Amino acid sequence: DKDNGSKAQSSSPKVSVPSIPGIQNLGNTCYLSASLQTLFGIPQFIADLYKTFEIQSPKKEIPLTRALLEVATAIGVLPEEHAPLISAEAARSKWLSKKAGNP
């Protein structure tokens, strides 16, 4: 009976749960980190943010939007292939450096 139970469990489809990495707390930034992680957990927020960036960035500088997209790319929430206007390597070196407080 145990063999049948384990076979039944292994044949069930596996659900892929996206993993959203945390953002390191830099002292008094826990509320900001929690807010960003909440927003980054909403796929439509990221999609709309990137769409806005695509439309607006050729016309004017939008540094906050760029910074949010860079952080999302650096921590893996926004896949590189979905954000061709954001340099993933530059984002990682900028946001995941010792200066940013990461170990």
Side-chain angles (χ1 to χ4, degrees), residues 42-56 62 65 69 78:
I42 304 169
Q44 194 60 47
F45 172 77
I46 296 290
D48 288 348
L49 191 66
Y50 190 75
K51 185 176 179 181
T52 298
F53 184 75
E54 281 183 312
I55 294 167
Q56 296 294 324
I62 45 177
T65 303
L69 290 168
L78 178 60

Side-chain angles (χ1 to χ4, degrees), residues 1-102:
D1 285 334
K2 287 185 179 181
D3 289 336
N4 289 342
S6 65
K7 287 180 185 175
Q9 288 177 348
S10 65
S11 65
S12 63
K14 294 187 179 189
V15 177
S16 175
V17 177
S19 101
I20 299 175
I23 299 172
Q24 185 173 355
N25 184 13
L26 303 175
N28 296 333
T29 62
C30 59
Y31 292 111
L32 175 61
S33 297
S35 298
L36 287 176
Q37 289 176 97
T38 300
L39 289 172
F40 288 163
I42 304 169
Q44 194 60 47
F45 172 77
I46 296 290
D48 288 348
L49 191 66
Y50 190 75
K51 185 176 179 181
T52 298
F53 184 75
E54 281 183 312
I55 294 167
Q56 296 294 324
S57 66
K59 300 174 191 173
K60 63 181 178 179
E61 284 291 315
I62 45 177
L64 179 58
T65 303
R66 176 181 282 283
L68 287 170
L69 290 168
E70 286 176 350
V71 171
T73 302
I75 65 173
V77 175
L78 178 60
E80 295 176 37
E81 60 272 9
H82 294 201
L85 296 177
I86 301 295
S87 168
E89 180 135 347
R92 280 190 292 273
S93 68
K94 184 177 188 179
W95 296 105
L96 300 180
S97 69
K98 294 284 185 188
K99 292 178 191 172
N102 287 319

